[in-house]
Amino acid sequence: MKISRLVLLAMVIGSINLGLYAHRMYTTGELGYSITLVVLSLFFIGLTIFGILRNIKLSQSE
């Protein structure tokens, strides 16, 4: 079962938002929050890449 493109797009947009919010936290001096948000952002980008690769693999096997 493929992952919807809309879900993958939403994950990319969410990770961008997390990155921007991490930058805002960093500029205000909240280093712990900014590191946590960067880690979450990278995690969501990783999940998105995994989903795209999984969709490609499923398309080739059909």
Side-chain angles (χ1 to χ4, degrees), residues 16-34:
I16 291 171
N17 284 333
L18 283 172
L20 291 173
Y21 196 63
H23 181 265
R24 185 185 306 168
M25 288 288 126
Y26 180 75
T27 57
T28 60
E30 301 283 344
L31 189 60
Y33 288 129
S34 64

